[in-house]
Amino acid sequence: MIFLYNLGVRLYALLAKASSPFNAKAKKFIKGRKNVFGEIRKYRSNEKGPVAWFHAASLGEFEQGLPVMERFKEEFPSYSIVVSFFSPSGYEHRKEHPIANLTCYLPIDTKANAKRFFEELKPNLACFIKYEYWFHFLKEADQRSIPLFSISAIFTPNHIFFKKYGSFYRQMLRYFDHTFVQNTKSEYLLKSIGVENCSISGDTRFDRVSQTVASPESYADLEKFCGDKTTLIVGSAWPEDMTVLADFINAKSGEINIIIAPHLIDRAHVEKITSHLSVPFKLYSDGNLTNTDSVLILNTIGMLSSTYQYADFAYIGGAFGDGLHNILEAVAFGLPVVFGNKGLEKFPESEELITLGGAFSVEDAQQTQDVLNNLLIEGFRKGASDICLQYVTENQGATERIISYLKEELK
């Protein structure tokens, strides 16, 4: 199995290299890894103290782990923090974040790369956030007796770890000294395959979104745009989402404000989003917003999580395609949320909120219109909003549970 794993990793790297001249993301994936070891060596030549290494697949996982990194820095000020990313979208957006003393790409998972990475970085602690299981890196940490933790992990029966043919991948889970899982189902699944070193911490995203609510970025132009009108925000929109939203937006434009934040902001993607609109709209990048505008395209990066503060309810994209995007950023501001109905089992917060009455899944344009029209009724919207706020409050605290455990381990 190790042969097939190594072959798959190398083929992935070769495909990325072959497509890099034609694909911007692949180009960053390859170029960003060219001098990783040089960056680490330079960093380590100046930093002689203990290092806590946090690894995130991409931007979402980084945001999920950020509360733990911040609390870790408070509790262990002698440690410096190194953050690695697998994806260019995570690295490019957070490479300058002040939490990290060094931010770099994770080298491709080969035995030689893993060995060199640990020799150069010499981490005293390693934390993998939610996903990402790289065999050689995990095995190297285990062989060097470096404390290794998984944070906010979540599992479903469909994961390869729980299949008859998943013994190789189950071994990766056993390399962790402790796995902090989000829910009881994940804990049960791990223990069903003999992984006992796990506990339920909850999801650190609740702590992260609560931080945003406590001190959101302020945007005077958006506040002016929204005014006193009821406002719907469409977060992380894909063209598939616009297919079910277009009728409602085109009918309600002028009656309510609508902010649409495309998941991708390149010109081609934005044009696919706006092609569904038969009403006037304004691009945020064009500036000069007024409260006479009605439909706004938020074609920017980094504003969405704080923009939810200006809205009354939200539609969150992705559930008709690659997967539902973060609904908790909106829910934390008390926004009832609507989304598609595909693949929700991967996102337990979506199913829990549907059951509670703070979220609503839809399958087509007519159902979308019906649900959104119901949310225009102030009393109905207020009830759903209260459920959302209570849900976030009740699920905070994962960060403190993780830090309390680490404090005991690092005595």
Side-chain angles (χ1 to χ4, degrees), residues 64 130 152-154 180-184 186 199-205 348-349:
Q64 193 162 26
K130 191 177 181 179
S152 285
I154 188 165
F180 298 97
V181 297
Q182 294 185 26
N183 53 31
T184 54
S186 295
S199 62
I200 303 169
S201 65
D203 188 346
T204 53
R205 285 183 303 161
E349 66 277 8

Side-chain angles (χ1 to χ4, degrees), residues 310-327:
Y310 302 114
D312 298 284
F313 59 119
Y315 176 100
I316 308 299
F320 289 118
D322 290 340
L324 179 64
H325 294 289
N326 191 341
I327 68 172

Side-chain angles (χ1 to χ4, degrees), residues 282-304:
K282 177 167 283 189
L283 298 176
Y284 184 83
S285 58
D286 290 341
N288 299 316
L289 287 182
T290 71
N291 56 12
T292 60
D293 296 314
S294 183
V295 178
L296 173 67
I297 309 300
L298 192 67
N299 58 334
T300 62
I301 292 175
M303 291 179 63
L304 179 58

Side-chain angles (χ1 to χ4, degrees), residues 45 160 178:
S45 67
I160 194 170
H178 197 85

Side-chain angles (χ1 to χ4, degrees), residues 194-209:
V195 178
E196 297 288 338
N197 51 339
C198 60
S199 62
I200 303 169
S201 65
D203 188 346
T204 53
R205 285 183 303 161
F206 288 96
D207 300 324
R208 177 59 181 147
V209 295

Side-chain angles (χ1 to χ4, degrees), residues 7-41:
L7 179 63
V9 168
R10 292 181 183 278
L11 284 175
Y12 185 94
L14 285 172
L15 286 171
K17 188 173 183 178
S19 61
S20 60
F22 322 102
N23 184 289
K25 189 172 182 179
K27 184 176 182 179
K28 291 175 181 176
F29 181 93
I30 296 299
K31 184 178 179 181
R33 285 171 164 80
K34 282 188 175 179
N35 194 37
V36 169
F37 296 116
E39 293 170 5
I40 295 173
R41 195 178 310 114

